[in-house]
Amino acid sequence: MKKTVLTMLSFADPDLRKQIEAMPEGTALIGISTTGQAIDVDLNGESPHVLVCTASGGGSTTMLRSLTAQFLHQGAHALDPKRISHLWAKGLPTVTHRGNIAGIHDALVHLATELERRLDLGGDLDTVPRLIVAVDEANTMLGRLARYWETFRQKDDPKTSPAIAALEEALWVGRAARVHVIFDGRPQSTVLAGAARELFATVILARFTADTWQVLAPAAGPAPKQRHPQQGHFHVIQHGEANETQAIRMTDADVVTWLTDPDDPTA
C-alpha cells in the first residue's frame, strides 16, 4: 500500500475540526496514518485506557491535551494531576486540576472512593459522566507519590501509597466504572503493578528505543525505523498492529476556546 508523507495536522483546519466533532461519544481522533487512515481510540471498545510513551520533547503533553480535550468536549470530566504543562485545564469546571504532590495524592485517593461509588451503581451509569484521568510525566509523579506517602505512613498502614493503589484500581476496573486512564510514561513494576501495562489496548510511542518498543509493543514485531523526526509523529499500536501516524496539534488556546465557546469557528 502506498504511503503518504506525514504533514502537521492543526486543529485550526476547519475540515479536521469538523471530523473531530463528528466522532462518536467515547471516541477521539489521534491523527492520520501514512496510508491516509484516521487513527482513533475507542473507549467503548477494546481500549479502555491509553499509554503514551516518548522521549523528552516527543509530544506526549500535546497528545494528552488533544485526547483529553476531545473527551471533555463530548461531556466527560477529567482529573488532571499536573503542575505546569496543563495549566489550560485549571479554569474549566469539569476538570479537577492539582498542582502539587499533596493535592495529587488527595485527588487520587478520592478517585478510589469515586470508583467504588460508580461500581456500586451496578452498571446503571447512563447519567454518570465519563471520567478521564490524564497522568502526564507519570514515572516522576509516581515516584514522588511513593516518597510522599512514606513521610507520614504509620506502622499499620499499607506499604503501597493509597494514591498509587487507586490508579492501579482505575486501570483494572475502570471500564466498568466509565473511568479511563491516559498514562504518559513507561509503567515500572516498582511503583505500578507490572501486569497493569497489559490493560493499555492503545499504545502511542514516539522517539522510542528498541528496548521500549519490545517491552510495550512486542506483538507488533521488531521496532521500526523512525523516519519522521518532526514533532507530532507517533507509532500507534492497536490489536498488535502499528500505524505511523501524524497526531493532531491542539494548542492551549485552541482547547480553552473550543471547550468554553464551542460555537466559535476560530477555536
Side-chain angles (χ1 to χ4, degrees):
M1 183 178 294
K2 183 178 179 180
K3 291 188 176 183
T4 59
V5 177
L6 296 175
T7 58
M8 293 295 292
L9 296 174
S10 173
F11 182 70
D13 181 336
D15 290 335
L16 183 60
R17 173 173 169 172
K18 184 177 180 180
Q19 182 178 358
I20 290 170
E21 293 180 337
M23 301 293 288
E25 191 278 333
T27 305
L29 184 65
I30 298 172
I32 305 299
S33 74
T34 54
T35 60
Q37 177 185 0
I39 304 298
D40 59 46
V41 55
D42 179 8
L43 299 181
N44 294 315
E46 297 183 5
S47 300
H49 310 297
V50 180
L51 175 63
V52 181
C53 185
T54 78
S56 178
S60 59
T61 294
T62 300
M63 177 63 71
L64 263 68
R65 180 169 58 232
S66 171
L67 295 179
T68 303
Q70 290 183 65
F71 293 126
L72 287 170
H73 184 263
Q74 296 169 5
H77 291 193
L79 168 61
D80 171 41
K82 186 68 172 77
R83 184 175 183 180
I84 297 174
S85 298
H86 296 286
L87 293 179
W88 60 268
K90 286 186 69 173
L92 298 174
T94 56
V95 179
T96 300
H97 177 88
R98 293 291 179 264
N100 58 60
I101 200 64
I104 293 170
H105 172 92
D106 292 346
L108 288 174
V109 170
H110 177 73
L111 173 64
T113 302
E114 176 63 12
L115 277 168
E116 191 67 26
R117 184 187 75 83
R118 290 177 176 228
L119 293 174
D120 285 345
L121 294 175
D124 186 16
L125 297 171
D126 291 343
T127 61
V128 177
R130 194 181 299 277
L131 178 60
I132 305 298
V133 183
V135 187
D136 205 351
E137 297 183 6
N139 296 103
T140 298
M141 187 193 78
L142 291 171
R144 292 180 66 198
L145 283 170
R147 292 190 295 272
Y148 176 74
W149 175 237
E150 286 301 318
T151 63
F152 60 89
R153 181 173 71 91
Q154 301 299 306
K155 179 180 179 181
D156 294 332
D157 288 335
K159 184 176 181 180
T160 300
S161 159
I164 295 175
L167 185 57
E168 291 179 347
E169 184 73 4
L171 288 170
W172 286 108
V173 304
R175 182 199 295 274
R178 284 171 59 87
V179 174
H180 310 277
V181 178
I182 306 178
F183 185 102
D184 164 36
R186 177 170 166 173
Q188 304 291 332
S189 60
T190 54
V191 289
L192 190 67
R197 73 184 60 180
E198 300 174 5
L199 300 177
F200 296 104
T202 294
V203 176
I204 304 173
L205 304 179
R207 301 186 185 181
F208 47 82
T209 65
D211 177 67
T212 295
W213 181 278
Q214 183 59 36
V215 170
L216 299 180
K225 293 182 179 180
Q226 300 178 74
R227 295 184 291 270
H228 299 274
Q230 75 265 26
Q231 190 169 10
H233 175 76
F234 294 86
H235 282 74
V236 180
I237 299 93
Q238 296 173 320
H239 312 295
E241 296 184 359
N243 283 289
E244 292 182 73
T245 301
Q246 187 65 35
I248 302 157
R249 173 174 166 74
M250 283 187 179
T251 66
D252 286 5
D254 288 336
V255 170
V256 172
T257 303
W258 188 42
L259 295 177
T260 57
D261 189 6
D263 295 324
D264 184 346
T266 65

Coordinates of all heavy atoms in Angstrom, one line a residue, residues 101-187:
I101 N 2.1 17.8 45.0 CA 2.0 16.4 45.3 C 1.0 16.0 46.3 O 0.3 15.0 46.2 CB 3.4 15.8 45.6 CG1 3.5 14.3 45.4 CG2 3.8 16.2 47.0 CD1 3.3 13.9 44.0
A102 N 0.8 16.9 47.3 CA -0.2 16.7 48.3 C -1.6 16.7 47.7 O -2.5 15.8 48.0 CB -0.1 17.7 49.4
G103 N -1.9 17.6 46.8 CA -3.1 17.7 46.1 C -3.4 16.5 45.2 O -4.5 16.0 45.1
I104 N -2.3 16.1 44.5 CA -2.4 14.9 43.6 C -2.7 13.7 44.4 O -3.6 12.9 44.0 CB -1.1 14.8 42.8 CG1 -0.9 15.9 41.8 CG2 -1.1 13.4 42.0 CD1 0.4 16.0 41.1
H105 N -2.1 13.5 45.5 CA -2.3 12.4 46.4 C -3.8 12.4 46.8 O -4.5 11.3 46.7 CB -1.4 12.5 47.7 CG -1.7 11.5 48.7 ND1 -1.1 10.2 48.8 CD2 -2.6 11.5 49.8 CE1 -1.6 9.6 49.8 NE2 -2.5 10.3 50.4
D106 N -4.3 13.5 47.3 CA -5.7 13.5 47.8 C -6.7 13.3 46.7 O -7.7 12.6 46.9 CB -5.9 14.9 48.5 CG -5.2 15.1 49.8 OD1 -4.6 14.1 50.3 OD2 -5.1 16.3 50.2
A107 N -6.4 13.8 45.5 CA -7.3 13.6 44.4 C -7.4 12.2 44.0 O -8.5 11.7 43.6 CB -6.9 14.5 43.2
L108 N -6.2 11.5 44.0 CA -6.2 10.1 43.6 C -6.9 9.2 44.7 O -7.6 8.2 44.3 CB -4.8 9.6 43.3 CG -4.2 10.1 42.0 CD1 -2.7 9.7 41.9 CD2 -5.0 9.6 40.8
V109 N -6.7 9.6 45.9 CA -7.4 8.8 47.0 C -8.9 9.0 46.8 O -9.7 8.1 47.0 CB -6.9 9.3 48.4 CG1 -7.8 8.8 49.5 CG2 -5.5 8.9 48.6
H110 N -9.3 10.2 46.5 CA -10.8 10.5 46.2 C -11.2 9.7 45.0 O -12.4 9.2 44.9 CB -11.0 12.0 46.0 CG -12.4 12.3 45.6 ND1 -13.5 12.2 46.5 CD2 -13.0 12.6 44.4 CE1 -14.6 12.5 45.9 NE2 -14.4 12.8 44.6
L111 N -10.3 9.5 44.0 CA -10.7 8.7 42.8 C -11.1 7.3 43.3 O -12.0 6.7 42.7 CB -9.5 8.6 41.9 CG -9.6 7.6 40.7 CD1 -10.7 8.1 39.8 CD2 -8.3 7.6 39.9
A112 N -10.4 6.7 44.3 CA -10.7 5.3 44.7 C -12.2 5.3 45.3 O -12.9 4.4 45.0 CB -9.8 4.9 45.8
T113 N -12.5 6.4 46.0 CA -13.9 6.5 46.5 C -14.9 6.6 45.4 O -16.0 6.0 45.4 CB -14.0 7.7 47.5 OG1 -13.1 7.6 48.5 CG2 -15.4 7.8 48.0
E114 N -14.6 7.4 44.4 CA -15.5 7.6 43.2 C -15.6 6.3 42.4 O -16.7 5.9 42.0 CB -14.9 8.7 42.3 CG -15.7 8.9 41.1 CD -17.2 9.4 41.3 OE1 -17.5 9.7 42.4 OE2 -17.9 9.4 40.3
L115 N -14.5 5.5 42.3 CA -14.6 4.2 41.6 C -15.6 3.3 42.4 O -16.4 2.7 41.8 CB -13.2 3.6 41.6 CG -12.3 4.0 40.5 CD1 -10.9 3.4 40.8 CD2 -12.8 3.4 39.1
E116 N -15.5 3.3 43.7 CA -16.3 2.4 44.5 C -17.8 2.8 44.3 O -18.7 2.0 44.2 CB -15.9 2.5 46.0 CG -16.6 1.4 46.8 CD -16.1 0.0 46.5 OE1 -15.0 -0.2 46.0 OE2 -16.9 -0.9 46.8
R117 N -18.0 4.2 44.4 CA -19.4 4.7 44.2 C -20.0 4.3 42.9 O -21.1 3.8 42.8 CB -19.4 6.2 44.3 CG -20.8 6.8 44.2 CD -20.7 8.3 44.2 NE -20.3 8.8 42.9 CZ -21.1 9.0 41.8 NH1 -22.4 8.7 42.0 NH2 -20.7 9.4 40.7
R118 N -19.2 4.4 41.8 CA -19.7 4.0 40.5 C -19.9 2.5 40.4 O -20.9 2.1 39.8 CB -18.7 4.5 39.4 CG -18.6 6.0 39.3 CD -17.6 6.5 38.3 NE -17.6 7.9 38.1 CZ -17.6 8.5 36.9 NH1 -17.5 7.8 35.8 NH2 -17.6 9.8 36.8
L119 N -19.1 1.7 40.9 CA -19.3 0.3 40.8 C -20.5 -0.2 41.6 O -21.2 -1.1 41.3 CB -18.0 -0.4 41.4 CG -16.7 -0.3 40.5 CD1 -15.5 -0.9 41.2 CD2 -17.0 -0.9 39.1
D120 N -20.8 0.6 42.7 CA -22.0 0.2 43.5 C -23.3 0.5 42.7 O -24.4 0.0 43.2 CB -22.0 1.0 44.8 CG -21.0 0.5 45.8 OD1 -20.5 -0.7 45.6 OD2 -20.7 1.2 46.8
L121 N -23.2 1.3 41.7 CA -24.4 1.6 40.9 C -24.8 0.4 40.0 O -25.9 0.4 39.4 CB -24.2 2.8 40.0 CG -23.9 4.1 40.7 CD1 -23.6 5.2 39.7 CD2 -25.2 4.5 41.5
G122 N -24.0 -0.7 40.0 CA -24.4 -1.9 39.3 C -24.6 -1.8 37.8 O -25.4 -2.4 37.3
G123 N -23.8 -0.9 37.2 CA -23.9 -0.8 35.8 C -24.8 0.3 35.3 O -24.9 0.6 34.1
D124 N -25.6 0.9 36.2 CA -26.5 2.0 35.9 C -25.8 3.3 35.8 O -25.9 4.1 36.7 CB -27.6 2.0 36.9 CG -28.7 3.0 36.5 OD1 -28.8 3.4 35.3 OD2 -29.5 3.3 37.4
L125 N -25.0 3.5 34.7 CA -24.1 4.6 34.6 C -24.5 5.6 33.4 O -23.7 6.4 33.0 CB -22.7 4.1 34.4 CG -22.1 3.3 35.5 CD1 -20.7 2.7 35.1 CD2 -21.9 4.2 36.8
D126 N -25.7 5.4 32.9 CA -26.1 6.2 31.8 C -26.0 7.7 32.0 O -25.8 8.5 31.1 CB -27.6 5.9 31.3 CG -27.6 4.5 30.8 OD1 -26.6 3.9 30.4 OD2 -28.8 3.9 30.7
T127 N -26.3 8.1 33.2 CA -26.2 9.6 33.6 C -24.9 10.0 34.2 O -24.8 11.1 34.7 CB -27.4 10.0 34.5 OG1 -27.4 9.2 35.7 CG2 -28.8 9.6 33.8
V128 N -24.0 9.1 34.3 CA -22.7 9.4 35.0 C -21.7 9.8 34.0 O -21.5 9.0 33.0 CB -22.2 8.1 35.8 CG1 -20.9 8.4 36.4 CG2 -23.2 7.7 36.9
P129 N -21.1 10.9 34.1 CA -20.1 11.3 33.0 C -18.9 10.5 33.0 O -18.4 10.0 34.1 CB -19.8 12.8 33.4 CG -20.1 12.9 34.9 CD -21.3 12.0 35.1
R130 N -18.4 10.2 31.8 CA -17.1 9.5 31.7 C -16.0 10.3 32.4 O -16.1 11.6 32.4 CB -16.8 9.4 30.2 CG -15.7 8.4 29.9 CD -15.4 8.4 28.4 NE -16.6 8.0 27.7 CZ -16.9 6.7 27.5 NH1 -16.2 5.7 28.0 NH2 -18.0 6.4 26.7
L131 N -15.1 9.7 33.1 CA -14.0 10.3 33.8 C -12.7 10.0 33.2 O -12.3 8.8 33.1 CB -14.0 10.0 35.3 CG -12.9 10.6 36.2 CD1 -13.0 12.1 36.1 CD2 -13.0 10.0 37.6
I132 N -11.9 11.0 32.7 CA -10.6 10.8 32.2 C -9.6 11.2 33.2 O -9.6 12.3 33.7 CB -10.4 11.7 30.9 CG1 -11.6 11.4 29.9 CG2 -9.1 11.4 30.3 CD1 -11.6 10.0 29.4
V133 N -8.7 10.2 33.5 CA -7.6 10.5 34.4 C -6.3 10.7 33.5 O -5.7 9.7 33.0 CB -7.4 9.4 35.4 CG1 -6.2 9.7 36.4 CG2 -8.7 9.1 36.2
A134 N -5.9 11.9 33.3 CA -4.8 12.2 32.4 C -3.5 12.4 33.3 O -3.4 13.4 34.0 CB -5.1 13.5 31.6
V135 N -2.6 11.4 33.2 CA -1.4 11.4 34.0 C -0.2 11.7 33.2 O 0.3 10.8 32.5 CB -1.3 10.0 34.7 CG1 -0.1 10.0 35.7 CG2 -2.6 9.6 35.4
D136 N 0.3 12.9 33.2 CA 1.4 13.3 32.4 C 2.7 13.1 33.3 O 2.7 13.2 34.5 CB 1.3 14.8 32.1 CG 2.1 15.2 30.8 OD1 2.9 14.4 30.4 OD2 2.0 16.3 30.3
E137 N 3.8 12.8 32.6 CA 5.1 12.5 33.3 C 4.9 11.6 34.5 O 5.3 11.8 35.6 CB 5.8 13.8 33.7 CG 6.1 14.7 32.5 CD 6.8 16.0 33.0 OE1 7.2 16.1 34.2 OE2 7.1 16.8 32.1
A138 N 4.2 10.5 34.2 CA 3.7 9.6 35.2 C 4.8 9.0 36.1 O 4.7 8.8 37.3 CB 2.9 8.4 34.6
N139 N 6.0 8.6 35.5 CA 7.0 8.0 36.3 C 7.6 8.9 37.4 O 7.8 8.5 38.5 CB 8.2 7.5 35.4 CG 7.7 6.5 34.4 OD1 7.5 6.8 33.2 ND2 7.5 5.2 34.8
T140 N 7.8 10.2 37.0 CA 8.2 11.1 38.0 C 7.1 11.3 39.1 O 7.4 11.3 40.3 CB 8.5 12.5 37.4 OG1 9.6 12.3 36.4 CG2 8.9 13.5 38.4
M141 N 5.9 11.4 38.7 CA 4.8 11.6 39.6 C 4.6 10.4 40.6 O 4.4 10.6 41.8 CB 3.5 11.9 38.9 CG 2.3 12.3 39.8 SD 0.7 12.2 39.0 CE 0.4 10.5 39.0
L142 N 4.7 9.2 40.0 CA 4.5 8.0 40.9 C 5.6 7.9 41.9 O 5.4 7.5 43.0 CB 4.4 6.8 40.0 CG 3.2 6.7 39.1 CD1 3.3 5.5 38.1 CD2 1.9 6.5 40.0
G143 N 6.8 8.2 41.5 CA 7.9 8.2 42.4 C 7.8 9.2 43.5 O 8.0 8.9 44.7
R144 N 7.3 10.4 43.2 CA 7.1 11.4 44.2 C 5.9 11.0 45.1 O 5.9 11.3 46.3 CB 6.8 12.8 43.5 CG 7.9 13.4 42.8 CD 7.6 14.7 42.2 NE 7.3 15.7 43.2 CZ 6.6 16.8 42.9 NH1 6.1 17.0 41.7 NH2 6.3 17.7 43.9
L145 N 4.9 10.4 44.6 CA 3.8 9.9 45.4 C 4.2 8.9 46.4 O 3.8 8.9 47.6 CB 2.6 9.4 44.5 CG 1.8 10.4 43.8 CD1 0.9 9.7 42.8 CD2 0.9 11.2 44.8
A146 N 5.1 8.0 46.0 CA 5.6 6.9 46.9 C 6.4 7.6 48.0 O 6.3 7.2 49.2 CB 6.5 5.9 46.1
R147 N 7.3 8.5 47.7 CA 8.1 9.2 48.7 C 7.2 10.0 49.6 O 7.4 10.1 50.9 CB 9.1 10.1 48.0 CG 10.2 9.3 47.3 CD 11.4 10.1 46.9 NE 11.0 11.1 45.9 CZ 11.0 10.9 44.6 NH1 11.3 9.7 44.1 NH2 10.7 11.9 43.8
Y148 N 6.2 10.7 49.1 CA 5.3 11.5 49.9 C 4.6 10.6 50.9 O 4.4 11.0 52.1 CB 4.3 12.2 49.0 CG 3.2 13.0 49.7 CD1 3.5 14.2 50.3 CD2 1.9 12.5 49.8 CE1 2.6 15.0 51.0 CE2 0.9 13.3 50.5 CZ 1.3 14.5 51.0 OH 0.3 15.2 51.7
W149 N 4.1 9.4 50.5 CA 3.4 8.5 51.4 C 4.3 8.1 52.5 O 3.9 8.0 53.7 CB 2.9 7.3 50.6 CG 2.2 6.2 51.4 CD1 2.6 4.9 51.4 CD2 1.1 6.3 52.2 NE1 1.8 4.2 52.2 CE2 0.8 5.0 52.7 CE3 0.3 7.4 52.6 CZ2 -0.2 4.7 53.6 CZ3 -0.8 7.1 53.5 CH2 -1.0 5.8 54.0
E150 N 5.6 7.9 52.3 CA 6.5 7.4 53.3 C 6.7 8.5 54.4 O 7.1 8.1 55.5 CB 7.8 7.0 52.7 CG 7.8 5.7 51.9 CD 7.4 4.6 52.8 OE1 7.9 4.5 54.0 OE2 6.6 3.7 52.4
T151 N 6.4 9.7 54.1 CA 6.7 10.8 55.1 C 5.7 10.8 56.2 O 6.0 11.3 57.3 CB 6.6 12.2 54.4 OG1 5.3 12.4 53.9 CG2 7.7 12.3 53.3
F152 N 4.5 10.2 56.0 CA 3.5 10.1 57.1 C 2.9 8.8 57.3 O 1.9 8.6 58.0 CB 2.5 11.2 56.9 CG 1.7 11.1 55.7 CD1 0.5 10.4 55.6 CD2 2.1 11.8 54.5 CE1 -0.3 10.3 54.4 CE2 1.3 11.8 53.4 CZ 0.1 11.0 53.3
R153 N 3.3 7.7 56.6 CA 2.8 6.4 56.7 C 3.0 5.9 58.1 O 4.1 5.9 58.6 CB 3.4 5.4 55.7 CG 2.8 4.0 55.7 CD 3.3 3.2 54.6 NE 4.8 2.9 54.7 CZ 5.2 1.8 55.3 NH1 4.4 0.9 55.9 NH2 6.5 1.5 55.4
Q154 N 2.0 5.4 58.7 CA 2.1 4.8 60.0 C 2.4 3.3 60.0 O 2.3 2.7 58.9 CB 0.7 5.0 60.8 CG 0.4 6.4 61.0 CD 1.4 7.2 61.8 OE1 1.8 6.8 62.9 NE2 1.9 8.3 61.2
K155 N 2.7 2.7 61.1 CA 3.2 1.3 61.1 C 2.2 0.4 60.5 O 2.5 -0.6 59.8 CB 3.5 0.9 62.6 CG 4.0 -0.5 62.7 CD 4.3 -0.8 64.2 CE 4.7 -2.3 64.4 NZ 5.0 -2.6 65.8
D156 N 0.9 0.6 60.8 CA -0.1 -0.4 60.3 C -0.7 0.0 59.0 O -1.6 -0.7 58.5 CB -1.3 -0.4 61.4 CG -0.8 -1.0 62.7 OD1 0.1 -1.8 62.7 OD2 -1.4 -0.6 63.7
D157 N -0.2 1.1 58.4 CA -0.7 1.5 57.0 C -0.1 0.6 56.0 O 1.0 0.0 56.2 CB -0.3 2.9 56.8 CG -1.1 3.9 57.6 OD1 -2.3 3.6 58.0 OD2 -0.7 5.1 57.8
P158 N -0.8 0.4 54.8 CA -0.2 -0.4 53.7 C 1.1 0.3 53.2 O 1.2 1.5 53.3 CB -1.3 -0.3 52.7 CG -2.2 0.9 53.0 CD -2.1 1.0 54.5
K159 N 2.0 -0.6 52.7 CA 3.2 -0.1 52.2 C 3.0 0.7 51.0 O 3.7 1.8 50.7 CB 4.2 -1.2 52.0 CG 5.6 -0.8 51.6 CD 6.5 -1.9 51.4 CE 7.9 -1.5 51.0 NZ 8.9 -2.6 50.9
T160 N 2.1 0.3 50.1 CA 1.9 1.0 48.8 C 1.1 2.2 49.1 O 0.1 2.2 49.8 CB 1.1 0.1 47.9 OG1 1.9 -1.1 47.6 CG2 0.9 0.8 46.5
S161 N 1.5 3.3 48.5 CA 0.7 4.6 48.6 C -0.7 4.3 48.1 O -1.0 3.7 47.1 CB 1.3 5.6 47.6 OG 0.4 6.6 47.3
P162 N -1.7 4.8 48.9 CA -3.1 4.6 48.5 C -3.4 5.4 47.2 O -4.4 5.0 46.5 CB -3.9 5.2 49.7 CG -2.9 6.1 50.4 CD -1.6 5.5 50.2
A163 N -2.7 6.4 46.9 CA -2.9 7.2 45.7 C -2.5 6.3 44.5 O -3.2 6.2 43.5 CB -2.1 8.5 45.7
I164 N -1.3 5.6 44.6 CA -0.9 4.7 43.5 C -1.8 3.5 43.4 O -2.1 3.1 42.3 CB 0.6 4.3 43.8 CG1 1.5 5.5 43.7 CG2 1.0 3.2 42.8 CD1 3.0 5.1 44.1
A165 N -2.3 3.0 44.6 CA -3.2 1.9 44.6 C -4.5 2.3 43.9 O -5.1 1.5 43.1 CB -3.5 1.4 46.0
A166 N -4.9 3.5 44.0 CA -6.2 4.0 43.4 C -6.0 4.0 41.9 O -6.9 3.7 41.1 CB -6.5 5.4 43.9
L167 N -4.8 4.5 41.4 CA -4.5 4.5 40.0 C -4.5 3.1 39.4 O -5.1 2.8 38.3 CB -3.2 5.2 39.7 CG -2.8 5.4 38.3 CD1 -3.9 6.2 37.5 CD2 -1.5 6.1 38.2
E168 N -3.9 2.1 40.1 CA -3.9 0.7 39.7 C -5.3 0.2 39.6 O -5.7 -0.5 38.7 CB -3.1 -0.1 40.7 CG -1.6 0.2 40.6 CD -0.8 -0.7 41.6 OE1 -1.5 -1.3 42.5 OE2 0.4 -0.7 41.5
E169 N -6.1 0.5 40.6 CA -7.5 0.1 40.6 C -8.3 0.6 39.4 O -9.1 0.0 38.8 CB -8.2 0.5 41.9 CG -9.6 0.0 42.1 CD -9.7 -1.5 42.4 OE1 -8.7 -2.1 42.6 OE2 -10.8 -2.0 42.5
A170 N -8.0 1.9 39.1 CA -8.7 2.5 37.9 C -8.3 1.8 36.7 O -9.2 1.6 35.8 CB -8.3 4.0 37.8
L171 N -7.1 1.3 36.6 CA -6.7 0.5 35.4 C -7.4 -0.8 35.3 O -7.9 -1.2 34.2 CB -5.2 0.3 35.4 CG -4.3 1.5 35.1 CD1 -2.9 1.2 35.4 CD2 -4.5 2.0 33.7
W172 N -7.6 -1.5 36.5 CA -8.2 -2.8 36.5 C -9.7 -2.8 36.3 O -10.3 -3.6 35.6 CB -7.9 -3.5 37.8 CG -6.5 -4.0 37.8 CD1 -5.4 -3.5 38.6 CD2 -5.9 -5.1 37.0 NE1 -4.3 -4.2 38.3 CE2 -4.5 -5.1 37.4 CE3 -6.4 -5.9 36.1 CZ2 -3.6 -6.1 36.8 CZ3 -5.5 -6.9 35.5 CH2 -4.2 -6.9 35.9
V173 N -10.4 -1.8 36.9 CA -11.9 -1.8 36.9 C -12.5 -0.6 36.2 O -13.7 -0.4 36.2 CB -12.5 -1.9 38.3 CG1 -11.9 -3.2 39.0 CG2 -12.2 -0.7 39.1
G174 N -11.6 0.2 35.6 CA -12.1 1.5 35.0 C -13.2 1.3 34.0 O -14.1 2.1 33.9
R175 N -13.1 0.3 33.1 CA -14.1 0.1 32.1 C -15.5 0.0 32.7 O -16.4 0.6 32.2 CB -13.8 -1.2 31.3 CG -14.7 -1.4 30.1 CD -14.7 -2.8 29.6 NE -13.4 -3.2 29.1 CZ -13.1 -3.0 27.8 NH1 -14.0 -2.4 27.0 NH2 -12.0 -3.4 27.3
A176 N -15.6 -0.8 33.7 CA -16.9 -1.0 34.3 C -17.5 0.3 35.0 O -18.7 0.4 35.2 CB -16.9 -2.1 35.3
A177 N -16.6 1.2 35.3 CA -17.0 2.4 36.0 C -16.9 3.7 35.1 O -17.1 4.8 35.6 CB -16.0 2.7 37.2
R178 N -16.7 3.5 33.8 CA -16.5 4.6 32.9 C -15.4 5.6 33.4 O -15.5 6.8 33.3 CB -17.8 5.4 32.7 CG -18.8 4.6 31.8 CD -20.2 5.2 31.8 NE -20.2 6.6 31.4 CZ -20.3 7.0 30.1 NH1 -20.4 6.1 29.1 NH2 -20.4 8.3 29.8
V179 N -14.3 5.0 33.8 CA -13.1 5.7 34.2 C -12.0 5.2 33.3 O -11.7 4.0 33.3 CB -12.8 5.5 35.7 CG1 -11.5 6.2 36.1 CG2 -13.9 6.0 36.6
H180 N -11.3 6.2 32.7 CA -10.3 5.8 31.7 C -9.0 6.6 32.0 O -9.0 7.8 32.2 CB -10.8 6.1 30.3 CG -12.1 5.5 30.1 ND1 -12.3 4.2 29.7 CD2 -13.4 6.1 30.2 CE1 -13.6 4.0 29.5 NE2 -14.3 5.1 29.8
V181 N -7.9 5.9 31.9 CA -6.6 6.5 32.2 C -5.8 6.7 30.9 O -5.7 5.8 30.1 CB -5.7 5.6 33.1 CG1 -4.3 6.2 33.4 CG2 -6.4 5.3 34.5
I182 N -5.3 8.0 30.8 CA -4.3 8.3 29.7 C -3.0 8.5 30.4 O -2.8 9.5 31.1 CB -4.8 9.5 28.9 CG1 -6.2 9.4 28.4 CG2 -3.8 9.7 27.7 CD1 -6.7 10.6 27.6
F183 N -2.1 7.6 30.2 CA -0.9 7.5 31.1 C 0.3 7.8 30.2 O 0.6 7.1 29.2 CB -0.8 6.0 31.6 CG 0.3 5.7 32.5 CD1 0.1 5.7 33.9 CD2 1.6 5.5 32.1 CE1 1.1 5.4 34.8 CE2 2.6 5.2 33.0 CZ 2.4 5.2 34.3
D184 N 1.0 8.8 30.6 CA 2.2 9.2 29.9 C 3.5 8.7 30.6 O 3.8 9.2 31.7 CB 2.3 10.7 29.7 CG 3.7 11.2 29.3 OD1 4.4 10.5 28.6 OD2 4.1 12.3 29.8
G185 N 4.1 7.7 30.1 CA 5.3 7.2 30.7 C 5.4 5.7 30.5 O 4.6 5.1 29.7
R186 N 6.5 5.1 31.0 CA 6.7 3.6 30.9 C 6.4 3.0 32.2 O 7.2 3.2 33.2 CB 8.1 3.4 30.4 CG 8.5 1.9 30.3 CD 9.8 1.7 29.6 NE 10.3 0.4 29.8 CZ 11.4 -0.1 29.2 NH1 12.1 0.7 28.4 NH2 11.8 -1.4 29.4
P187 N 5.3 2.2 32.4 CA 5.0 1.7 33.7 C 6.2 0.8 34.2 O 6.8 0.0 33.5 CB 3.8 0.7 33.4 CG 3.2 1.3 32.1 CD 4.4 1.9 31.3

